[in-house]
């Protein structure tokens, strides 16, 4: 914006009216900038406070050892691994279904009653509170499908919870590909599937992936859906073995561990809940950062 | 547009997606794989025991699970809390091997479990818990009778001020009652033993979701009173003596007074199995009753079983 400003200064003499206009402009810019900055401050404050409080406990051993001595000492290995299992398995279930459903809704579906019902249920499912998903998971997966309380049942519950959001974000990413691209493709005789494969998906993949990966944070952070379906208060697993959990086992999870340590364990070290929170936040931020880097990389390859 | 090139790009992208998916899976686990180099070799087949229920017992159950892991690493005990009611529900639904309960099963619960599994659930007495009455450390009160407690917590009970039990508090005379949610075994026991089965609890108490929550709230609230397992005692609260009736000797909750039954509000802690347990579950229950298992009870702040 400095270019037009200097060119106007060269062409016209500055009148009070123009000066006032520029002052207002600068004021608006500062105001909006300050608001944008204000978004960053809470995150930094939260992170700083947590890390400061957690500092005495944070170490490599904290991540790689099981909790001991009534969960007051030791680390959080079993909870960390449990969270990783839940996130990975639930995304493996929800991402393919969600993405494919969104492709259908955006590329194939005609605007008829069926599509409208599907869209309506997606929107409504996205608005269901997580505790309701928990009860549904308990009834449907744990009791009815006889999966018992297990990683599989918990992951399925989480997958049901994240799927509508994945569908919504994928649909948005697909819709951002201009219709003229598809029309050009159809006009040279390509079928719908050829168009999707060659034009639509390659051009929207970064948006789709971002939507999927951002669900990691939600999956990792939820306590309610896993509380009844597969997360336990305590469980001992071999340290250092990444395959320590089976899919039919129950597991500990970071979010649940944080909850139980703060509400249940007496005389726990003050830093313990903070250290668990830092680990949870760190895991989520790490995944999100990966998502952002990947997205930037994909966007740079975009040809339009 | 150049379709050939596009297909190529698409191929590259599919590859990238796969790579990221793999990367994602590994980034979560990568660090641990390094650790496994010097770490423990995976133990053969691990049998798990599902253990769920009483909130009062969950810390104890956790301590047992931790202790038993050293005795038999091939068994992994999965402990969850939630409340005795949740444990009993899991027992009836058959979603657990052992249900913890800080109260005995009600007759209709036994009927339901029998209808579901074909035989009566099996009861295992595993320890005792003295229900302690907690107040704020600044409170000068040293003892209270069960009768007074009843008047405090019962619907229509007369006591709602500290002056009525003979103490003056600088913070305010109003008594803040801290209680538990209604699927808690502690709540059931307290209601039965103190308030009486026929009476309801007085409305307006703070009903907390966990044993620790009660103690925490009392430690922050100068004019409050609450009940919770003795195992949840911390340095920030005061435990007062309890007598059966006004005038009777006041008794401090402890192992000895629980054993000789002089402490009026001590209760048994049970583990229930849906029937005759499987051998590995039976072995675990047997270990709990050994000296080693009962030592864990004492270390966790509960009352072990009396030695025969």
């Amino acid at each position: 914006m400095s270019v037009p400003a200097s060119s106007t200064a060269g062409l016209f003499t500055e009148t009070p009216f123009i000066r006032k206009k520029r002052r207002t402009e600068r004021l608006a810019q500062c105001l909006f900038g300050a608001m944008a900055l204000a978004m960053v401050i809470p995150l930094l404050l939260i992170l700083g406070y947590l890390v400061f409080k957690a500092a005495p406990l944070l170490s490599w051993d904290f991540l790689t050892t099981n909790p001991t001595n009534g969960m007051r000492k030791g680390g959080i290995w079993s909870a960390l691994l449990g969270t990783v299992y839940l996130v990975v398995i639930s995304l493996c279930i929800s991402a393919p279904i969600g993405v494919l459903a969104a492709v259908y809704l955006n590329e194939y579906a005609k605007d008829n009653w069926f599509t409208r019902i599907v869209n309506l249920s997606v929107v409504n499912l996205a608005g269901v509170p997580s505790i309701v998903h928990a009860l549904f998971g308990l009834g449907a997966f744990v009791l009815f499908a006889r999966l018992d309380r297990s990683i599989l049942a918990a992951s399925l519950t989480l997958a049901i919870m994240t799927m509508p959001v994945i569908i919504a974000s994928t649909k948005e990413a697909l819709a951002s590909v201009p219709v003229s691209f598809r029309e050009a493709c159809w006009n040279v005789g390509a079928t719908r599937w050829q168009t999707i494969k060659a034009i639509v998906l390659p051009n929207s993949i970064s948006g789709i992936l971002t939507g999927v990966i951002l669900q990691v944070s939600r999956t990792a952070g939820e306590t309610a859906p896993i509380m009844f379906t597969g997360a336990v208060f305590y469980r001992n697993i071999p340290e250092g073995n990444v395959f320590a959990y089976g899919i039919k086992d129950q597991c500990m999870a970071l979010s649940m561990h944080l909850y139980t340590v703060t509400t249940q364990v007496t005389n726990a070290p003050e830093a313990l809940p903070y250290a668990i929170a830092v680990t949870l936040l760190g895991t989520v931020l790490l995944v999100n950062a990966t998502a952002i880097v990947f997205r930037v990389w994909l966007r740079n390859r975009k040809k339009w | 547009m150049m379709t050939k090139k596009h297909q190529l790009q698409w191929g590259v992208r599919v590859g990238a997606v796969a790579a990221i998916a793999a990367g994602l899976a590994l980034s979560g686990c990568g660090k641990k794989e390094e650790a496994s180099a010097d770490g423990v070799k995976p133990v053969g087949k691990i049998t798990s025991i599902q253990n769920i229920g009483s909130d009062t017992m969950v810390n104890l159950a956790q301590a047992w699970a931790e202790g038993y892991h050293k005795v038999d690493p091939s068994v992994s005990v999965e402990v969850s809390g939630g409340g005795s009611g949740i444990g009993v529900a899991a027992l009836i639904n058959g979603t657990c091997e052992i249900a913890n309960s800080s109260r005995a099963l009600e007759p209709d619960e036994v009927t339901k479990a029998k209808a579901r599994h074909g035989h009566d659930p099996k009861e295992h007495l595993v320890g005792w818990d003295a229900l302690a009455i907690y107040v704020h450390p600044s409170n000068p009160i040293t003892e209270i009778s069960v009768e007074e407690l009843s008047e405090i917590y019962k619907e229509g009970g007369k006591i709602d001020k500290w002056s009525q039990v003979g103490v003056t508090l600088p913070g305010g005379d109003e008594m803040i009652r801290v209680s538990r949610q209604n699927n808690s075994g502690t709540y059931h026991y307290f209601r039965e033993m103190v308030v009486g089965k026929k009476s309801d609890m007085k409305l307006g108490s703070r009903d907390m979701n966990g044993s620790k929550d009660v103690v925490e709230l009392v430690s922050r609230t100068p004019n409050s009173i609450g009940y919770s397992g003795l195992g949840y005692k911390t340095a920030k609260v005061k435990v007062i003596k309890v007598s059966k009736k006004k005038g009777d000797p006041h008794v401090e909750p402890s192992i000895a007074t629980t054993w000789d039954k002089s402490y009026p509000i001590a209760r048994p802690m049970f583990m229930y199995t849906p029937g005759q347990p499987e051998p590995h579950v039976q072995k675990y229950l047997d270990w709990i009753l050994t000296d080693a298992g009962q030592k864990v009870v004492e270390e966790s702040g509960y009352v072990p079983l009396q030695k025969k």
Side-chain angles (χ1 to χ4, degrees):
Chain A
M1 62 161 270
S2 62
V3 176
S6 64
S7 66
T8 43
L11 279 175
F12 306 102
T13 41
E14 211 170 61
T15 63
F17 173 68
I18 289 179
R19 224 175 306 156
K20 192 175 170 230
K21 232 169 66 171
R22 283 169 68 192
R23 210 172 39 238
T24 322
E25 180 64 31
R26 208 169 306 136
L27 197 73
Q29 199 189 353
C30 287
L31 185 70
F32 294 145
M35 292 302 141
L37 194 67
M39 290 299 298
V40 182
I41 292 169
L43 177 68
L44 291 181
L45 279 180
I46 292 174
L47 264 180
Y49 180 72
L50 285 179
V51 171
F52 172 73
K53 285 283 205 177
L57 271 179
L58 289 179
S59 70
W60 186 249
D61 280 349
F62 183 71
L63 299 180
T64 55
T65 54
N66 279 325
T68 55
N69 192 16
M71 313 221 274
R72 291 177 194 96
K73 290 223 178 78
I76 49 167
W77 162 248
S78 42
L80 181 62
L81 188 67
T83 292
V84 171
Y85 266 69
L86 289 174
V87 168
V88 169
I89 296 175
S90 76
L91 278 191
C92 286
I93 299 164
S94 64
I97 302 179
V99 170
L100 295 186
V103 169
Y104 174 80
L105 287 175
N106 204 61
E107 301 297 320
Y108 287 97
K110 294 183 185 75
D111 186 20
N112 55 23
W113 62 270
F114 174 72
T115 319
R116 261 174 260 152
I117 286 179
V118 173
N119 276 323
L120 196 67
S121 22
V122 168
V123 172
N124 278 301
L125 203 56
V128 172
S130 58
I131 187 71
V132 178
H133 282 293
L135 291 177
F136 171 75
L138 177 67
F141 302 127
V142 178
L143 298 175
F144 181 73
R146 302 206 153 269
L147 294 175
D148 291 341
R149 294 157 53 89
S150 60
I151 290 182
L152 185 60
S155 301
L156 281 166
T157 313
L158 288 169
I160 297 271
M161 192 186 75
T162 51
M163 215 179 311
V165 190
I166 290 182
I167 293 180
S169 63
T170 307
K171 267 174 72 182
E172 211 158 290
L174 295 173
S176 72
V177 179
V179 180
S180 54
F181 281 27
R182 298 185 182 85
E183 285 167 349
C185 200
W186 297 331
N187 283 337
V188 294
T191 62
R192 277 193 184 260
W193 168 234
Q194 285 171 329
T195 312
I196 292 167
K197 201 170 62 170
I199 302 292
V200 181
L201 282 182
N203 280 315
S204 57
I205 194 78
S206 73
I208 294 174
L209 275 174
T210 311
V212 171
I213 296 174
L214 285 180
Q215 283 309 300
V216 168
S217 43
R218 196 150 165 250
T219 320
E222 284 286 357
T223 314
I226 55 175
M227 204 148 96
F228 304 130
T229 52
V232 288
F233 184 78
Y234 174 79
R235 185 173 174 199
N236 211 322
I237 57 163
E239 283 165 9
N241 178 5
V242 204
F243 303 103
Y245 284 122
I247 201 158
K248 294 287 279 173
D249 287 344
Q250 299 187 72
C251 65
M252 287 175 77
L254 283 175
S255 53
M256 175 93 173
H257 191 54
L258 180 57
Y259 172 71
T260 50
V261 163
T262 43
T263 58
Q264 197 57 250
V265 177
T266 43
N267 302 322
E270 206 205 343
L272 183 57
Y274 293 100
I276 300 170
V278 167
T279 317
L280 182 56
L281 214 58
T283 316
V284 168
L285 287 183
L286 194 78
V287 175
N288 284 1
T290 323
I292 291 164
V293 170
F294 189 56
R295 186 200 180 128
V296 168
W297 178 69
L298 277 178
R299 201 188 283 147
N300 287 343
R301 297 166 56 92
K302 226 177 200 173
K303 293 294 181 301
W304 49 279
Chain B
M1 285 158 85
M2 339 115 257
T3 39
K4 194 80 192 169
K5 202 166 178 195
H6 251 113
Q7 269 177 356
L8 238 161
Q9 277 185 359
W10 176 228
V12 170
R13 271 156 205 191
V14 168
V17 173
I20 267 291
L24 236 171
L26 286 177
S27 70
C29 325
K31 354 172 177 165
K32 295 119 208 179
E33 280 181 325
E34 291 163 36
S36 74
D38 55 40
V40 195
K41 278 262 168 272
V43 186
K45 179 91 187 85
I46 291 183
T47 352
S48 63
I49 298 177
Q50 314 232 7
N51 182 202
I52 177 169
S54 169
D55 192 66
T56 307
M57 291 166 69
V58 74
N59 286 347
L60 175 60
Q62 190 271 332
W64 272 329
E66 200 183 310
Y68 193 65
H69 190 75
K70 286 173 203 136
V71 178
D72 187 355
S74 72
V75 172
S76 171
V77 184
E78 301 170 354
V79 183
S80 337
S84 299
I86 299 222
V88 173
L91 181 82
I92 293 169
N93 286 329
T95 52
C96 69
E97 263 102 34
I98 302 174
N100 301 335
S101 179
S102 57
R103 62 176 170 85
L105 284 189
E106 313 245 341
D108 68 311
E109 289 166 349
V110 176
T111 321
K112 270 189 211 158
K114 193 170 177 183
R116 180 71 186 256
H117 304 291
H119 34 69
D120 280 342
K122 203 164 175 230
E123 180 178 289
H124 312 262
L125 178 65
V126 291
W128 297 86
D129 180 37
L131 202 57
I133 304 299
Y134 292 102
V135 293
H136 193 264
S138 69
N139 195 325
I141 196 167
T142 53
E143 65 244 339
I144 200 159
S145 71
V146 172
E147 280 175 337
E148 284 169 325
L149 282 173
S150 168
E151 288 299 322
I152 290 170
Y153 278 96
K154 185 166 76 177
E155 191 181 44
K158 289 182 198 73
I159 301 179
D160 56 4
K161 301 230 175 340
W162 283 106
S163 51
Q164 288 169 291
V165 289
V167 290
T168 40
L169 290 182
D173 202 20
E174 180 97 23
M175 203 179 251
I176 294 175
R177 279 163 289 125
V178 185
S179 185
R180 289 290 308 280
Q181 91 280 13
N182 69 0
N183 76 348
S184 149
T186 314
Y187 168 91
H188 267 251
Y189 176 80
F190 187 82
R191 189 172 157 191
E192 198 177 317
M193 291 304 289
V194 175
V195 174
K197 262 219 156 150
K198 289 189 194 101
S199 313
D200 275 325
M201 299 282 272
K202 205 189 277 180
L203 292 177
S205 57
R206 311 287 161 90
D207 296 345
M208 309 306 285
N209 271 325
S211 305
K212 189 192 170 194
D213 291 347
V214 171
V215 179
E216 295 246 303
L217 182 60
V218 170
S219 75
R220 290 195 308 264
T221 318
N223 49 345
S224 64
I225 182 166
Y227 59 87
S228 197
L230 187 59
Y232 287 87
K233 185 183 169 185
T234 65
K236 289 181 193 144
V237 285
K238 185 166 130 184
V239 172
I240 56 176
K241 294 177 182 175
V242 181
S243 66
K244 274 201 188 77
K245 287 198 289 264
K246 217 169 164 57
D248 279 9
H250 296 100
V251 184
E252 202 172 338
S254 70
I255 294 178
T257 56
T258 303
W259 279 353
D260 66 17
K261 303 242 171 0
S262 59
Y263 187 70
I265 42 176
R267 59 193 167 142
M269 296 190 292
F270 297 111
M271 280 182 155
Y272 285 97
T273 50
Q276 185 56 42
E278 285 175 57
H280 67 282
V281 180
Q282 185 65 52
K283 255 178 83 186
Y284 179 55
L285 289 166
D286 288 343
W287 176 81
I288 284 173
L289 299 181
T290 62
D291 286 350
Q294 289 296 306
K295 195 157 167 271
V296 173
V297 179
E298 199 177 334
E299 281 167 359
S300 309
Y302 301 86
V303 179
L305 296 172
Q306 207 160 1
K307 282 189 187 114
K308 300 244 163 68

